[in-house]
């Protein structure tokens, strides 16, 4: 099941991006995931059922 990935959806009051150093692997993984085009996943979207 496809679920939308968004690193900016955190609900805690801290700004996590400030706490993660620029040379951390998490930054590289986030950039890689954000670079994936969304078009191929459009076929998996639906308007009924659970998200």
């Amino acid at each position: 099941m496809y679920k939308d990935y968004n690193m900016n959806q955190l609900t805690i009051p801290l700004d996590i991006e400030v706490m993660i150093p620029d040379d951390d692997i998490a930054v590289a993984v986030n950039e890689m995931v954000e670079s994936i085009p969304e078009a191929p996943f459009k076929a998996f979207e639906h308007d009924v059922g659970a998200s």
Side-chain angles (χ1 to χ4, degrees):
M1 180 183 310
Y2 170 72
K3 295 216 179 226
D4 186 36
Y5 166 81
N6 183 353
M7 194 157 161
N8 298 323
Q9 66 189 7
L10 299 172
T11 57
I12 56 177
L14 301 173
D15 189 5
I16 297 297
E17 291 179 9
V18 173
M19 299 172 63
I20 299 174
D22 290 338
D23 60 348
D24 194 272
I25 188 71
V27 175
V29 170
N30 182 54
E31 289 176 1
M32 182 179 65
V33 170
E34 292 295 325
S35 70
I36 298 172
E38 294 184 23
F41 296 101
K42 293 291 184 191
F44 297 105
E45 290 184 2
H46 51 83
D47 296 329
V48 294
S51 61

